[in-house]
Amino acid sequence: MIIGYGGIKIKRKVVLHGDSTLTISLPARWAKKFNIKKGDELNVEENEREIRITNDKEITLDKKQFSVGNLRRLGISYITSLYRSGYDEIHLDYNNNDYIETIHDVLSNEITGFEIVKQGNNYCVIKDLTGSKDEFNTALRRIWLLTLDLAGETLSSIKKNNVNNLKNIYFMDNSINKFSNYCLRLLNKKVYVNYSKTPLYYYLIKSLEELADKYKDLYKFYLNNKVKINDKSLETYDKINSHLNEYYNLFYSYDKEKMENLFNEARSTYEKTLNLNSNISIYLSSICNDIKDLLSVLVELNI
């Protein structure tokens, strides 16, 4: 028998116990990773020739220690990457005690639940103090709602020529980043959705985060260049936002006919963006194309 886990497929021999009981051994690496012990219950799902074995335990990861020196941007990436990967405790070494300000910024703006529990000369320890909570669905909905709000807020600000809303846009984008990191962490620590769908959810969350960045960049371009945007471009902008809203509705209440309509409308809108005579057409094309491409993810999630 072939067992697949973590992208790896291995063969296992079937062993006969007694007169009719057939058994196979679990991969030691997988059992250790999820702390599987005698007496634990596993989920066994039959699908034609395939048997899928899963568990409801969180991944147990060891502590991680590394040195960032004075590298601010790289240090931020290390911390957020380890957080997303599921580590519960991180020991950081740095060259200057002022680096602690960078760590505080990351914990405030990018990460949920991590706090500094120990601090010394040129080092600190940060740890997850939230415990294990199944908040994936709540956090994912927050990402959706914040992304929709950000899309609407950027359009409204441009229509009203509001040049003082960038700080609010940044706060919304930071919140999206924070909830996205939290969702990705939960996916890595424990499968909160159907195991086979986990990569799709991972891709969806990363895509929504990047989509929010593109809306923010569009608004920044508008502010920095003080461009005048014609009515046709604003109408297209509004149409793209309506596609995103419809995607959100279908994500939580899937309908095949509405999905078919959204496929056609999003494709039509994207083609229109390619012919727009506007300074922001490249941003609108990119955003609409991302929404259009994400439609296939929604289909796969509902198969």
Side-chain angles (χ1 to χ4, degrees):
M1 178 175 287
I2 298 177
I3 300 178
Y5 73 102
I8 302 172
K9 289 188 176 181
I10 59 176
K11 287 188 176 183
R12 282 288 188 263
K13 286 188 177 181
V14 178
V15 179
L16 176 64
H17 286 276
D19 295 330
S20 59
T21 303
L22 300 175
T23 64
I24 59 171
S25 62
L26 296 173
R29 181 180 169 189
W30 182 83
K32 182 178 180 180
K33 182 177 182 180
F34 291 98
N35 195 27
I36 304 298
K37 298 178 181 178
K38 178 181 177 180
D40 287 347
E41 290 187 348
L42 300 176
N43 307 312
V44 180
E45 178 185 350
E46 295 183 40
N47 183 16
E48 299 296 336
R49 297 177 59 187
E50 179 181 83
I51 294 178
R52 184 182 298 277
I53 301 174
T54 60
N55 69 86
D56 296 322
K57 293 188 175 184
E58 292 187 353
I59 298 175
T60 302
L61 293 177
D62 296 331
K63 304 173 185 178
K64 192 73 172 181
Q65 180 174 357
F66 66 94
S67 176
V68 293
N70 290 320
L71 304 175
R72 184 178 185 277
R73 190 65 194 88
L74 188 62
I76 292 173
S77 295
Y78 273 139
I79 295 170
T80 54
S81 294
L82 290 173
Y83 172 81
R84 288 178 174 182
S85 297
Y87 285 93
D88 292 325
E89 186 172 320
I90 305 170
H91 183 118
L92 295 170
D93 296 307
Y94 35 84
N95 293 347
N96 191 313
N97 281 326
D98 291 340
Y99 197 89
I100 197 69
E101 295 180 10
T102 297
I103 297 172
H104 274 293
D105 287 342
V106 177
L107 298 185
S108 298
N109 299 321
E110 302 286 341
I111 287 175
T112 297
F114 263 45
E115 300 292 343
I116 296 173
V117 295
K118 188 175 183 180
Q119 184 177 339
N121 186 35
N122 292 340
Y123 84 92
C124 75
V125 177
I126 57 178
K127 190 173 182 178
D128 180 17
L129 301 181
T130 61
S132 300
K133 298 180 181 178
D134 186 355
E135 298 179 345
F136 177 80
N137 291 327
T138 300
L140 178 56
R141 190 178 285 273
R142 288 299 301 151
I143 294 171
W144 266 116
L145 295 175
L146 283 165
T147 303
L148 293 174
D149 286 345
L150 191 149
E153 192 69 20
T154 54
L155 175 58
S156 176
S157 296
I158 291 174
K159 282 183 175 180
K160 297 175 182 177
N161 195 28
N162 183 353
V163 297
N164 299 312
N165 206 22
L166 185 59
K167 187 175 182 179
N168 185 42
I169 299 298
Y170 266 105
F171 277 134
M172 295 170 72
D173 185 56
N174 284 340
S175 294
I176 291 169
N177 293 341
K178 202 167 185 177
F179 281 113
S180 296
N181 286 334
Y182 187 52
C183 278
L184 297 179
R185 172 179 171 81
L186 292 178
L187 285 176
N188 278 319
K189 283 185 69 67
K190 182 177 179 179
V191 180
Y192 284 80
V193 292
N194 184 313
Y195 182 82
S196 63
K197 308 290 187 183
T198 298
L200 294 173
Y201 276 93
Y202 207 98
Y203 179 77
L204 172 67
I205 292 164
K206 287 289 293 178
S207 296
L208 288 175
E209 183 181 7
E210 292 170 3
L211 200 61
D213 287 338
K214 290 184 178 182
Y215 274 109
K216 179 188 68 178
D217 291 342
L218 190 161
Y219 183 64
K220 283 173 59 181
F221 175 82
Y222 165 75
L223 292 180
N224 293 335
N225 295 276
K226 298 179 175 59
V227 296
K228 181 174 177 57
I229 301 175
N230 57 50
D231 291 341
K232 188 174 182 181
S233 295
L234 291 176
E235 289 174 7
T236 304
Y237 199 149
D238 191 44
K239 189 66 174 177
I240 292 171
N241 285 2
S242 72
H243 294 334
L244 186 61
N245 272 277
E246 182 63 12
Y247 191 116
Y248 165 75
N249 292 330
L250 287 170
F251 182 82
Y252 288 103
S253 183
Y254 191 73
D255 182 280
K256 292 180 181 178
E257 290 188 4
K258 291 181 179 179
M259 191 68 193
E260 177 73 12
N261 291 334
L262 184 55
F263 261 120
N264 294 329
E265 290 181 7
R267 186 183 301 111
S268 175
T269 303
Y270 173 68
E271 290 172 355
K272 290 178 181 177
T273 64
L274 299 177
N275 298 314
L276 278 177
N277 183 20
S278 171
N279 291 315
I280 64 168
S281 60
I282 188 171
Y283 291 98
L284 295 179
S285 295
S286 180
I287 291 170
C288 191
N289 189 54
D290 285 354
I291 295 172
K292 179 172 65 70
D293 289 346
L294 274 175
L295 293 175
S296 60
V297 175
L298 187 54
V299 172
E300 291 187 58
L301 285 172
N302 287 276
I303 291 177

